Amino acid sequence: MSSSREYKALKGMQDVLPPNSYLWKKTEETAEEIFTAYGYRPIRPPIAETTDLFTRSIGENTDIVEKEMYTFNDKAGRSVTLRPEGTASVVRSYVEHHLYTLPSPQKYYYSGPMFRYERPQSGRLRQFYQIGAEVFGAAYPWMDAEMLSMLRHFLERLHLSDLSIEVNSIGCKQCRPAYKTALLDFFSDKRVQLCVDCKRRYTVNPLRILDCKVAGCTAVRKEAPRVTDHHCCDCESHFERFQATLRNFGITYNVNPEMVRGLDYYTRTIFEITSKDLGAQNAVVAGGRYDDLVKEFGGPDTPAIGFAAGMERIVELLNRSGASALPSPDAFISLLGEQACRKGILIADDLRTKGFWVELGDPEASLKSQMRRADKVSARYVFVIGDKEIDSGNVQWKKLSDASQGLISLSGIYDFLADKAG
RNA sequence: GUGGGUGUAGCUCAGUUGGUUAGAGCAUCUGACUGUGGCUCAGAGGGCCGCGGGUUCGAAUCCCGUCACUCACCCCA
């Protein structure tokens, strides 16, 4: 006890244990299945990159870069960072390996741990897992809609409902600067009325004033100019056609002109899928377009769009909906006596190579306690192998759910199980 | 980084105005005529009452500090 207290997982990092780990597995398998049908292929970038990669893509004065990165120097003195998100690595990989020479669009998905040094709270960890996907080389707005359709199918397949889809378009490098100045103009004489954080945002990132939750700020920005009114022609038409495609898919969504992004690389379409059942950290999926990033990383001018889904948050919703996926052994073999033990172990081994989950009893324990154990682990069938059975060549089977039992030949256990399983 | 809440058995929690060997339920293990689970019954193991200090004849209980966990802000998946 006192010795096991010496070591604990680090703050904000957790062990995923059964039965929860089965929900993780189910979530990952479902994503893989759905994404594959949409043409996404797996990609596995490393979890650490040179620090510069993140500061440049995510943005120098975002919170992630300013205070949340796991950054350290390696033995050669290079600054290395544990990835706080997946997109930067995938884009780097896309450029580094000249994946743009493959037919467009290229679609990739990944899943794995991300790291942000934050104060943990419900739905927020320092090591957390995301399933994400990126599409390169598709500028057309129906790709944005297709991505949401895919996400809808993914979440539906997991039987998650009660989620809402919010979309917005934050313009491009043509129209955003003008909008930014319009915002600054609007707030310039109202700065005193804003909260402390928003006063800071005014100089650092004025767009962020739009999603401040402080009541005073919500009131002040009522008449603030809207991004959607400042789109250039291309952005306006992109956003229009994106929405038309969403409607064509029969997807219900909300346009939320106040939604912004914490990462600097986004352009045009951004979206979020949120749940009311998750507390303050309510985003299950978030993503958007980043049409300039590939070029900024030294690749050809390539439009791109992607998203990331929070594993822990999805699993939390699955838990709330009562989903469970705890498997149990196909068979439990109770052993009584020396001879039976030698034979039983071989039988179990053979069944296991044929794909059955088989548990063995402790031959030194009483049959009673072996049966008790079989029940505890919810084995479907128990086979009792004792010296009596070895002599007669027959074993007794028992089905625990209804206590039915009977005799079969020692060599017929596989056929018996295969028959019951089919 | 800033606030609030909570720390008693593996888990969920009782613990009365400070007063003897700190309890329950669940879980674990064993047994109830010798080769049969679940239900029932009997029993067992398992607690520096988060840690350190203080007040007191006496602290799980009161005070201070500290650490951990947790929720929220910030921010975000």
Side-chain angles (χ1 to χ4, degrees):
Chain A
M1 175 70 184
S2 57
S3 63
S4 69
R5 232 178 222 178
E6 299 288 326
Y7 291 111
K8 294 172 60 184
L10 293 177
K11 185 196 276 284
M13 304 197 179
Q14 60 174 207
D15 298 308
V16 181
L17 305 172
N20 244 350
S21 50
Y22 285 99
L23 290 177
W24 278 60
K25 187 166 174 260
K26 182 180 169 189
T27 303
E28 283 172 332
E29 285 169 356
T30 304
E32 188 175 340
E33 188 185 328
I34 302 286
F35 298 176
T36 298
Y38 279 83
Y40 290 77
R41 300 186 296 164
I43 186 170
R44 294 179 180 276
I47 62 168
E49 300 275 357
T50 181
T51 301
D52 187 45
L53 183 84
F54 299 117
T55 52
R56 277 192 32 209
S57 61
I58 297 169
E60 296 280 358
N61 46 29
T62 57
D63 274 32
I64 293 179
V65 168
E66 275 180 356
K67 51 183 198 190
E68 296 172 2
M69 296 211 300
Y70 271 90
T71 298
F72 58 94
N73 289 323
D74 70 9
K75 295 199 176 188
R78 305 177 195 90
S79 182
V80 165
T81 295
L82 260 31
R83 62 181 182 194
E85 59 106 32
T87 300
S89 300
V90 177
V91 173
R92 192 223 77 231
S93 182
Y94 179 80
V95 174
E96 177 175 342
H97 301 291
H98 312 290
L99 301 180
Y100 44 79
T101 58
L102 296 170
S104 283
Q106 283 291 307
K107 302 176 176 178
Y108 298 96
Y109 74 90
Y110 59 85
S111 112
M114 307 295 161
F115 302 83
R116 288 182 204 171
Y117 195 88
E118 301 180 83
R119 195 82 169 259
Q121 75 184 70
S122 178
R124 193 176 75 184
L125 293 160
R126 289 182 173 179
Q127 177 176 338
F128 59 101
Y129 287 72
Q130 289 185 333
I131 298 178
E134 319 286 347
V135 178
F136 299 97
Y140 37 86
W142 34 97
M143 181 54 79
D144 311 24
E146 180 191 289
M147 189 166 257
L148 280 169
S149 181
M150 177 173 89
L151 281 165
R152 178 187 57 165
H153 289 312
F154 166 52
L155 296 165
E156 271 174 7
R157 182 67 64 90
L158 289 171
H159 305 292
L160 294 181
S161 49
D162 232 25
L163 298 170
S164 51
I165 298 178
E166 311 236 315
V167 305
N168 192 19
S169 171
I170 53 172
C172 64
K173 60 177 176 229
Q174 261 74 50
C175 52
R176 196 153 20 151
Y179 174 61
K180 221 165 162 176
T181 22
L183 261 189
L184 291 174
D185 284 350
F186 175 80
F187 284 115
S188 63
D189 57 333
K190 302 179 183 65
R191 275 171 88 173
V192 275
Q193 302 169 57
L194 296 171
C195 71
V196 204
D197 289 316
C198 281
K199 286 190 179 99
R200 198 191 77 237
R201 289 178 182 124
Y202 182 86
T203 45
V204 177
N205 189 352
L207 291 247
R208 290 230 136 262
I209 301 174
L210 293 177
D211 69 346
C212 180
K213 293 175 200 103
V214 176
C217 301
T218 356
V220 172
R221 69 164 181 259
K222 268 223 157 69
E223 304 295 317
R226 303 194 146 197
V227 233
T228 38
D229 296 329
H230 286 72
H231 283 159
C232 60
C233 284
D234 286 350
C235 283
E236 189 181 344
S237 124
H238 187 97
F239 197 38
E240 279 301 311
R241 288 182 296 162
F242 164 53
Q243 292 185 64
T245 316
L246 283 181
R247 289 192 293 271
N248 188 41
F249 274 126
I251 293 173
T252 40
Y253 64 95
N254 281 322
V255 175
N256 178 355
E258 298 187 334
M259 181 169 67
V260 293
R261 277 284 87 123
L263 290 70
D264 281 355
Y265 54 65
Y266 286 106
T267 54
R268 292 193 174 166
T269 309
I270 58 173
F271 56 85
E272 240 170 61
I273 301 178
T274 59
S275 163
K276 292 151 229 64
D277 304 323
L278 281 178
Q281 312 299 316
N282 63 356
V284 179
V285 183
R289 208 165 247 294
Y290 47 95
D291 288 339
D292 304 324
L293 192 57
V294 173
K295 192 172 186 188
E296 278 169 30
F297 273 17
D301 201 349
T302 308
I305 180 169
F307 67 82
M311 270 296 291
E312 290 84 354
R313 294 180 187 179
I314 289 175
V315 170
E316 173 59 21
L317 289 175
L318 287 175
N319 266 319
R320 282 165 179 275
S321 71
S324 80
L326 194 62
S328 55
D330 300 304
F332 186 100
I333 297 182
S334 299
L335 303 168
L336 296 165
E338 288 264 324
Q339 253 196 94
C341 182
R342 278 198 298 276
K343 180 77 176 163
I345 285 173
L346 295 182
I347 291 173
D349 209 46
D350 179 57
L351 292 171
R352 287 163 169 170
T353 63
K354 288 169 176 158
F356 288 107
W357 177 359
V358 181
E359 291 295 322
L360 279 171
D362 172 1
E364 294 187 344
S366 66
L367 211 222
K368 186 190 200 65
S369 85
Q370 292 189 55
M371 289 299 290
R372 200 152 25 201
R373 196 172 142 59
D375 184 58
K376 289 277 162 54
V377 301
S378 316
R380 268 189 285 287
Y381 290 93
V382 175
F383 297 92
V384 180
I385 303 183
D387 292 343
K388 214 159 67 180
E389 281 75 11
I390 301 293
D391 291 341
S392 68
N394 290 323
V395 286
Q396 192 178 57
W397 61 265
K398 180 168 187 174
K399 186 178 185 183
L400 289 183
S401 57
D402 62 6
S404 59
Q405 47 188 326
L407 281 177
I408 53 170
S409 78
L410 246 178
S411 55
I413 297 183
Y414 169 74
D415 290 334
F416 179 86
L417 283 176
D419 184 50
K420 300 293 185 187

